[in-house]
Amino acid sequence: MRTHHCNELRSAHIGETATLIGWVNTVRDHHGVIFVDLRDREGVTQVVFRPEENAAAAAASHKLRDEDVVQITGKVAKRLEGTANDKIATGGIEIVATELVIVNKADVLPFQLDKELSNEDLRMKYRYLDIRRPRMSRNLRLRHRVTKATRDYLDEAGFCEIETPVLSKSTPEGARDFLVPSRLQPGAFSALPQAPQQYTQLLMVGGIEKYFQIAKCFRDEDLRADRQPEFTQIDIEASFVGQEDIISLVEGLLGRIFKEARNADIPQTFDRITWREAMDRYGSDKPDRRFGLELTDLADTFANSSFKVFSGALQSGGTVKAINAKGFANITTGQVEALTQIAVQAGAKGLAYIQVRGETPDTWRSPITKFLTPEELEALKAKLNIETGDLILFGAGPWEQVCEILGRVRLACAEYQKLLEGNEELNFLWVTEFPLLAFDDEAGRYVAVHHPFTRPLAEDEAKLLNGELSTGLRAQAYDVVLNGHELGGGSIRIHEGPLQSAMFRALGISEEQAAEEFGHILDAFRFGAPPHGGIALGLDRLVMLICNEHSIREVIAFPKNNKGSDLMSLSPAEVDPKQLRDLRIQTAKKPQ
RNA sequence: GGAGCGGUAGCUCAGUUGGUUAGAGCGCUGCCCUGUCACGGCAGAGGCCGCGGGUUCGAGUCCCGUCCGCUCCGCCA
């Protein structure tokens, strides 16, 4: 078989006999002399066929087509003077073929591997060919570097990789489950795990102390560029730790990953801000801090304004905020409309703005300046550092909503202004002190912001126990953010029965229901559960960012399309009626 | 569930205010070529313009519907 791969032979090998095997990358047939670029996963080596070396092989080489698998034996030779190719690492040499074995002919491919391909259907249908392309091959091998670095780092830190069940119990909280019907117990169902988290807590009760898993997780929700129904998490849980321990562990882990996968040195510690500050300044719980455009609070300026949109919002307990998009006064009408639409989608009634055309307010273009007093305009100018050419965008209303609206407007402005073009920065950030509870208007009750096992901040613990509920309660929950993407999130967990019961009560889960759904957890907490906490990092997103890709599909070997289908194997699909009979499932006809 | 963008040759795309026989590059097939590396040259094949309906003398182009893909919102503890 092969003696070398296709990115191995150099001038030092000249004179040796070598056997290579791989795919025909290109054929350049000059009739008398034929060049074949032979490719394997490592690279490309030029092979030259000459009739005088082996007439039969040279004759056969005329028939070679792209992507045939061939084995070639020949002498490594220095290329003729002036014909070296410095674009490839093997460009100084070539193989003068004395033997050609056509291992497997290839049909004409449905697309060219060396050209960009925009037809996603076709890529997915022939994913095995797509993977042959350098981009996908590089991404998948880089993904391996990341999981390898993860395992090495966590192993060295004393963590133990343990598999948790894929067939597990469906839980009502959280995302929609993928259900698996039980044959042995007709009418009963398992679910595929949305996260291993409940089992990992039980591993802590089991005394494992340091656990991790590179775990497949499943959520039956709509897809996005960064969301697939099955995805992978780096799941970590540890006992006798606090938030600081998890944070420094993850900082070290990401340092190792970026070093080994991308040879990048990232900060040893990341900046931290609280959730409240993140919302207040950036209008997002995963702020992209590679650019400014921060939100400025204008409560002082408009508390008593005669402009009711602003003063009314403040008087009813809300807020008024603005961002100054420096130098964006030349925004197009279409962009104003688009920004307004973004704001409205986020719950705004409209989007007030000022296009700053000159020094003095009379030169400003705006639908609202006519309602503002000269003093208010002066105060604005000072507070927002307004200069000619700026664009000011306002939000007024309930605090969290205003933050979210301007947060989205902020991102859109950055995109329009191309603030991130060519930016190679890796901006890591911890967001801490997430709220413990959010109020779900539809359900008419509180829901867990993270999950129902999240521990409140020590100073808010008594309130939870006493049932003094509010969205102001904070959790020992933290997210790690990279360039505006949530890389992962975790929390210190509740490990005592009474506190856990209080949490269930807060969420409107009855004692009976808690016993039924989570009885095993409450049981476990009775037998000496250690304090513990953990985090889960989204592996697909992490690798996507390391690969500079814009969709996690580019770093998953066989992903699903927008409708959740595998276009290669055509799954999901109808099944044999016998299988359904075994499962006591009566109908599975697609609604038409 | 909603919004936006797209669907023309195997692939990537162009196609003007509706107007003869729908184009280009790459790929493919055949022939020529002994130093190319995006080889070159000559010739050729290849189209339900996503699908259905409508307007019109005439539709790739306009209108309605529908399917598919992508992106976003909702949703994703």
Side-chain angles (χ1 to χ4, degrees):
Chain A
M1 271 310 238
R2 60 154 64 132
T3 59
H4 300 81
H5 62 67
C6 292
N7 191 16
E8 197 170 357
L9 296 169
R10 300 287 187 273
S11 325
H13 299 89
I14 289 169
E16 292 179 20
T17 297
T19 298
L20 303 185
I21 185 163
W23 289 268
V24 172
N25 204 48
T26 46
V27 181
R28 291 178 295 279
D29 187 342
H30 292 245
H31 200 68
V33 60
I34 303 96
F35 299 98
V36 171
D37 288 343
L38 192 67
R39 183 196 77 236
D40 64 15
R41 69 174 205 178
E42 305 298 335
V44 168
T45 300
Q46 174 166 288
V47 179
V48 56
F49 290 90
R50 283 202 212 92
E52 55 268 32
E53 299 290 340
N54 180 335
S61 72
H62 289 298
K63 296 222 154 57
L64 291 178
R65 294 292 176 266
D66 286 359
E67 299 305 313
D68 288 344
V69 177
V70 296
Q71 178 177 301
I72 284 155
T73 302
K75 270 226 157 50
V76 182
K78 185 176 181 354
R79 292 207 188 178
L80 298 187
E81 202 59 38
T83 65
N85 181 358
D86 55 13
K87 285 184 208 152
I88 55 174
T90 58
I93 57 94
E94 62 195 4
I95 306 251
V96 183
T98 53
E99 203 184 320
L100 167 66
V101 181
I102 297 174
V103 178
N104 203 356
K105 291 289 294 177
D107 278 352
V108 176
L109 268 50
F111 52 85
Q112 289 162 261
L113 299 186
D114 58 347
K115 298 270 191 304
E116 269 307 308
L117 181 63
S118 62
N119 187 334
E120 291 280 318
D121 274 17
L122 208 63
R123 291 184 64 194
M124 294 309 157
K125 183 173 178 192
Y126 298 100
R127 186 59 160 181
Y128 42 86
L129 296 179
D130 196 37
I131 291 170
R132 235 182 249 178
R133 301 160 74 225
R135 171 188 179 186
M136 282 306 300
S137 169
R138 179 201 66 138
N139 288 356
L140 292 176
R141 295 174 76 187
L142 218 140
R143 183 180 176 118
H144 166 71
R145 303 290 358 136
V146 172
T147 51
K148 175 74 163 60
T150 300
R151 289 199 162 98
D152 290 347
Y153 177 85
L154 290 173
D155 175 63
E156 286 161 27
F159 283 76
C160 179
E161 183 165 17
I162 298 176
E163 293 161 89
T164 52
V166 165
L167 292 176
S168 48
K169 183 170 180 169
S170 178
T171 51
E173 296 275 320
R176 199 174 287 121
D177 283 327
F178 279 100
L179 293 176
V180 182
S182 164
R183 179 183 61 83
L184 295 175
Q185 297 168 50
F189 293 83
S190 296
L192 305 183
Q194 298 173 27
Q197 180 263 333
Q198 284 189 37
Y199 287 103
T200 69
Q201 288 195 256
L202 296 170
L203 286 173
M204 294 305 103
V205 180
I208 293 296
E209 292 194 28
K210 293 178 172 185
Y211 143 94
F212 83 100
Q213 183 179 192
I214 295 179
K216 263 288 173 78
C217 303
F218 305 86
R219 289 175 194 176
D220 189 8
E221 298 290 348
D222 286 7
L223 291 84
R224 286 279 199 289
D226 62 353
R227 267 175 18 200
Q228 285 270 307
E230 57 176 299
F231 60 101
T232 307
Q233 286 186 347
I234 301 170
D235 189 54
I236 298 172
E237 195 81 18
S239 297
F240 311 116
V241 295
Q243 179 171 306
E244 291 305 316
D245 302 290
I246 302 291
I247 283 179
S248 59
L249 179 77
V250 169
E251 285 168 346
L253 170 61
L254 288 171
R256 176 79 162 261
I257 288 171
F258 274 83
K259 186 68 193 172
E260 294 199 7
R262 202 164 131 166
N263 198 28
D265 292 300
I266 65 171
Q268 291 191 341
T269 59
F270 309 158
D271 286 351
R272 295 186 202 181
I273 59 177
T274 63
W275 175 83
R276 178 137 198 119
E277 186 184 353
M279 294 301 290
D280 220 32
R281 288 173 58 192
Y282 303 101
S284 168
D285 60 3
K286 44 176 194 287
D288 190 336
R289 301 202 311 159
R290 291 173 297 171
F291 57 92
L293 286 176
E294 287 193 31
L295 282 55
T296 303
D297 199 290
L298 300 172
D300 300 349
T301 314
F302 294 114
N304 299 306
S305 176
S306 56
F307 185 42
K308 290 296 172 213
V309 174
F310 286 178
S311 56
L314 290 164
Q315 277 151 25
S316 54
T319 190
V320 177
K321 284 171 168 293
I323 56 180
N324 182 351
K326 296 303 268 180
F328 198 30
N330 60 353
I331 185 171
T332 65
T333 314
Q335 286 171 329
V336 171
E337 272 170 33
L339 287 183
T340 304
Q341 207 175 347
I342 287 168
V344 167
Q345 241 166 15
K349 293 191 182 67
L351 183 64
Y353 61 91
I354 302 174
Q355 287 171 280
V356 183
R357 295 279 171 80
E359 276 294 298
T360 52
D362 56 300
T363 63
W364 296 359
R365 246 183 79 166
S366 167
I368 61 158
T369 42
K370 56 177 177 261
F371 301 115
L372 305 180
T373 65
E375 292 74 31
E376 286 167 342
L377 290 168
E378 272 312 307
L380 266 188
K381 198 169 170 183
K383 211 149 201 178
L384 290 162
N385 183 28
I386 292 177
E387 296 170 308
T388 301
D390 290 353
L391 173 72
I392 314 300
L393 298 148
F394 295 89
W399 173 78
E400 196 168 336
Q401 190 184 52
V402 167
C403 292
E404 265 173 35
I405 291 164
L406 289 181
R408 291 188 197 184
V409 168
R410 172 177 179 266
L411 290 177
C413 283
E415 192 174 331
Y416 289 146
Q417 293 187 271
K418 301 189 175 17
L419 295 184
L420 288 172
E421 208 143 272
N423 189 318
E424 297 272 306
E425 188 185 345
L426 295 170
N427 192 304
F428 290 90
L429 178 72
W430 286 103
V431 179
T432 61
E433 292 183 25
F434 270 77
L436 186 70
L437 302 171
F439 196 80
D440 183 337
D441 291 322
E442 213 173 299
R445 64 174 180 92
Y446 285 100
V447 293
V449 168
H450 187 48
H451 59 56
F453 311 99
T454 305
R455 187 170 199 85
L457 220 55
E459 54 257 49
D460 289 343
E461 209 175 295
K463 288 182 187 158
L464 179 63
L465 283 167
N466 298 334
E468 297 166 39
L469 306 180
S470 76
T471 54
L473 297 186
R474 290 157 299 165
Q476 297 190 48
Y478 32 83
D479 276 6
V480 58
V481 174
L482 169 56
N483 295 349
H485 295 267
E486 179 192 331
L487 275 190
S491 61
I492 302 303
R493 327 293 188 192
I494 298 170
H495 61 273
E496 321 92 311
L499 192 58
Q500 187 64 65
S501 294
M503 185 64 175
F504 286 145
R505 273 200 305 281
L507 301 176
I509 299 173
S510 69
E511 247 171 81
E512 299 73 41
Q513 199 186 347
E516 192 181 324
E517 305 283 353
F518 305 109
H520 53 301
I521 303 247
L522 291 170
D523 273 350
F525 286 176
R526 290 163 44 220
F527 302 116
H532 60 281
I535 192 164
L537 305 175
L539 178 70
D540 310 284
R541 271 182 212 176
L542 177 60
V543 177
M544 172 184 92
L545 292 168
I546 290 175
C547 292
N548 284 321
E549 293 286 2
H550 291 100
S551 167
I552 62 171
R553 286 191 304 269
E554 306 299 343
V555 300
I556 295 173
F558 299 102
K560 312 278 189 279
N561 75 357
N562 258 355
K563 289 240 166 77
S565 290
D566 174 353
L567 292 178
M568 189 180 63
S569 69
L570 299 179
S571 156
E574 289 184 20
V575 297
D576 190 305
K578 181 178 182 307
Q579 292 174 283
L580 295 179
R581 279 199 302 277
D582 283 349
L583 295 166
R584 307 285 210 279
I585 290 176
Q586 297 202 322
T587 174
K589 281 274 174 256
K590 284 195 275 186
Q592 278 301 344

